[in-house]
Structure formats: C-alpha cells, structure tokens
Amino acid sequence: MAELNIGDQVTAIYKTGKYIGEITERRPQHYLVRVLAVAKHPMQGDLHNPKDAAVGFFHERKALSFREQANIPEKMVKPFEGEIPDYLESLKEATGKLRAELEADDSTWAQQSMRNLDSLEKDYFRNQ
C-alpha cells in the first residue's frame, strides 16, 4: 500500500466507528486524523463483548466530533476518493442506519443500544 501523507483525505476506523477525514500528522505506525464526516456510527455496549447486554457496564459510545483528531493505526486508514459529506448530515445518516439495524434485532443488546442511541441523538441534534 502506498504511504499516505499529511493532508490526504482518508477513511479511518476508530474503535467500532468509521470516519472520513484528513491526515494531520504522521506518527510511528499511526496517523493523526481530523474527523470531517461519519461513515458508520460506533456500536454501543462493551467493545470486548460485542452484542452482549449482560456486561458490567454497557457503554454509550459517541461518534467522534467534527474536527476532533484521533490517533489511528496505519492499517485502519485508507485513501478516500470523492466528496466529503457535511458532518451533521453524515452523522444523521449514520445514526439512521444504526437505528434501522437495531430495530431489526429484538435482542436485549439491541434494546439497550437503542436507548443509548435515543440519548445520543438528543445530544447530537439538540440545536437543530
């Protein structure tokens, strides 16, 4: 894979979310990526026990904010071609996709995830 450079537009997977952004710094085995849009909203719950509601603490996982920077391993960063969508619109689309997936799942994990998503959406879109 060709090396990416500062200023390149990329997709980056961070924890369970996927983002579109730009590289702002090169680090050993990592890129610092500034988030410009959300491609996939993070899953809810415990990262180490995916889709399991019977965990000690069921995490509410927010998407990274507009222009927030994250240190992401090289292998999780890929070149991005195309138009970068508006951050808020991309966040609405990503939460909508996650909601549709959760509504199709009747597990306890999905129900708890839906409660988290309801809370997150109130926070994300409170000024809309």
Side-chain angles (χ1 to χ4, degrees):
M1 182 176 104
E3 188 167 313
L4 299 168
N5 298 297
I6 291 173
D8 286 357
Q9 294 181 343
V10 294
T11 60
I13 295 173
Y14 183 75
K15 297 192 177 171
T16 62
K18 185 174 183 182
Y19 303 91
I20 301 168
E22 65 184 358
I23 295 173
T24 59
E25 193 177 312
R26 182 94 179 79
R27 296 180 170 175
Q29 280 90 50
H30 289 77
Y31 293 107
L32 191 63
V33 176
R34 178 181 293 131
V35 173
L36 300 175
V38 181
K40 180 181 181 293
H41 194 280
M43 300 287 281
Q44 300 302 297
D46 186 333
L47 293 179
H48 304 290
N49 298 288
K51 298 197 174 188
D52 184 357
V55 292
F57 183 71
F58 196 91
H59 295 270
E60 180 180 272
R61 301 205 177 278
K62 290 182 84 155
L64 295 176
S65 305
F66 181 61
R67 297 184 65 79
E68 183 174 349
Q69 299 203 67
N71 196 38
I72 301 177
E74 283 177 349
K75 67 180 190 292
M76 305 307 264
V77 178
K78 306 281 186 252
F80 176 76
E81 299 291 329
E83 196 72 28
I84 295 178
D86 174 74
Y87 177 84
L88 205 53
E89 287 306 311
S90 72
L91 182 59
K92 284 179 183 171
E93 192 173 311
T95 55
K97 282 182 189 167
L98 179 57
R99 179 171 297 284
E101 290 170 20
L102 293 172
E103 286 171 348
D105 181 342
D106 65 356
S107 70
T108 307
W109 168 82
Q111 292 166 10
Q112 181 64 43
S113 293
M114 189 73 85
R115 286 192 288 276
N116 282 8
L117 189 59
D118 289 343
S119 170
L120 288 168
E121 285 179 324
K122 282 186 185 104
D123 185 39
Y124 292 153
F125 309 124
R126 68 178 173 269
N127 297 324
Q128 296 298 296

